[in-house]
Amino acid sequence: MGSVTEIIQSFSNIRKIGAGADLRPPRDVITILGDSWLGRIYRNHLKKYVYVRRIVLWSWRNGYPLYASHLAPLFLNRKALVWRKVIKLKDFAKRKTVLTYNLVDAATIELQSPKVFPASDESLLLSPNERFVFPEISVVVIKNAVTYGGTNLILAGGEVICHDLYDFSRDYTSEELHGRTLIDPKSNRIRWLLHDNTPEVVPVAATFVDSCAANYAHWMTEVLSRIVLFCEDVRFKRVPIIVNDGLHRNIMESLLLVAGSDREIITLPIGRAIAVGELYFTSAAGYVPFERRVNKLSGHSQGIFSPRALEKLRTQLTQSLPVEDGTVTPEKIFLRRNSNVRKLAGVDELEKLLNSLGYVIVEPEKLTFSQQVKLFHNAKAIVSPTGAGLVSAIFCKPGAQVAVLMSKHKDMIYRYWSNMLSPLGISVGYALGEIIEKDDLGIHGDFKVETQSIVDLLESLGKK
């Protein structure tokens, strides 16, 4: 396999929208504020203070909706005044009786209770349900629709279409945080605050843009999992696909391996729009909310995924690996997390322990996408702090064991990894620890897990 540059160059059908200087995409309010003198003062001098960050975040979450409802329409295009109805894809398809293609039938997924250490924390991983039903995955053809870069919300006929797993009464979206939309969950309406007055026009395309596509975990489980189902269907062989512009080289490599060399790929910057005569919209294959809208509601989603879609992704990408060149990959790996948030305390001592047990330390972000697929596909045991890099465990063979190191917090989505990996035949266990950085980072604070909890977990998984 060549470098990602060589891979991309071998695909001649990538087209970028709005690359010219005269077609700069509209900027959202967060970008405008960040580039202002006030934004620079905040970033350079004030952001380091915990209470300042708390005040700014609270003011934005509570004050911006008031601005968008009452002040923005006075200064912005009158389009900002328009409230649009939000409708779920399945309801839109039923009401309009539009052309719909079924890809995957609905499936009942049995949930497993993962091993948890210390044992006193087992209640944190209990699920209120023993099973869940993942809805069917379909492609709906929407006439005369508009898709924007950086959001999976679709504009059509004065309405905004969303996928069926959204629950706006509970889910706070990235689009709202960045000031691109304003959602009123009580009335099920939305104001679209970012307008492209000169959208590109194409006759036919499938959209896979998403507000969280730049995150590797969201991309794999919520975007690429849909793309692989769409692209394998011969009925859509000639349909171009639209994705976010500016994606990481590893994400682009994964896209090109799934889409194939004959597929036209259109990259769309945030703020730019494409008006499509026939827009193919694939329903959700996985979803975890960006944030909670209100913390007082219980029973928030900890992630729901289609095992069929992830299995298809695993099969296609592992089969695309180059012929073995004699390189041996380790069977037991520890993922070193190089990040400024959710850092694991005492990691040096842990790495020494794991080395003595035969684990090899790896840094996934230093590998190409194909190298990561091969590494995880051959691994039989993985230890890792929670983080996006662990999502490559979807490429593990059934029977592999994954030990997740995670902090305890009231807002933590503990079952994210077990909901994703267990239905794929992968054993998942948790070693939980305490947050040691007490500030507004919440679930992203640094944490420490007792060594004995990790040892107990590894012994438990080894006995399975």
Side-chain angles (χ1 to χ4, degrees), residues 376-390:
F376 281 84
H377 189 57
N378 292 332
K380 295 182 178 179
I382 300 169
V383 179
S384 174
T386 185
L390 183 55

Side-chain angles (χ1 to χ4, degrees), residues 50 53-54 340-342 409 435 437-446:
V50 171
R53 294 201 303 271
R54 287 180 179 174
N340 293 325
V341 297
R342 291 201 309 273
H409 190 278
I435 292 178
E437 185 181 347
K438 303 292 185 180
D439 66 8
D440 67 329
L441 291 176
I443 64 174
H444 302 295
D446 296 349

Side-chain angles (χ1 to χ4, degrees), residues 437-456:
E437 185 181 347
K438 303 292 185 180
D439 66 8
D440 67 329
L441 291 176
I443 64 174
H444 302 295
D446 296 349
F447 67 104
K448 179 176 177 58
V449 178
E450 296 299 329
T451 302
Q452 189 58 51
S453 295
I454 300 173
V455 172
D456 291 342

Side-chain angles (χ1 to χ4, degrees), residues 28 35 130 150 173 175 195 197 339 350 401:
D28 58 53
D35 291 342
E130 295 181 353
T173 67
E175 290 90 336
H195 299 283
N197 295 320
S339 174
L350 176 59
Q401 301 164 354

Side-chain angles (χ1 to χ4, degrees), residues 69 81-88 158-160 162 167-170 176 182-191 293:
S69 292
L81 287 168
V82 177
W83 281 105
R84 305 169 190 263
K85 181 182 177 182
V86 178
I87 183 170
K88 291 193 173 183
E159 296 178 319
V160 175
C162 68
D167 180 355
F168 290 121
S169 66
R170 297 174 180 271
E176 293 171 274
L182 178 65
I183 295 174
D184 181 354
K186 292 183 179 180
S187 63
N188 206 34
R189 297 185 304 167
I190 186 171
R191 267 183 171 161
R293 185 172 297 279

Side-chain angles (χ1 to χ4, degrees), residues 3 7 15 18 26 33 83 117 137 171 190 213 222 232 234-235 245 254 301 322 346 354 368 378 413 416 426 428:
S3 68
I7 293 172
R15 177 159 65 101
L33 289 174
W83 281 105
F117 292 90
I137 303 175
D171 305 346
I190 186 171
E222 300 175 35
E232 77 160 350
V234 295
R235 293 173 292 185
D245 187 45
S254 71
S301 172
L354 292 175
T368 67
N378 292 332
I413 51 172
Y416 179 76
I426 299 167
V428 182

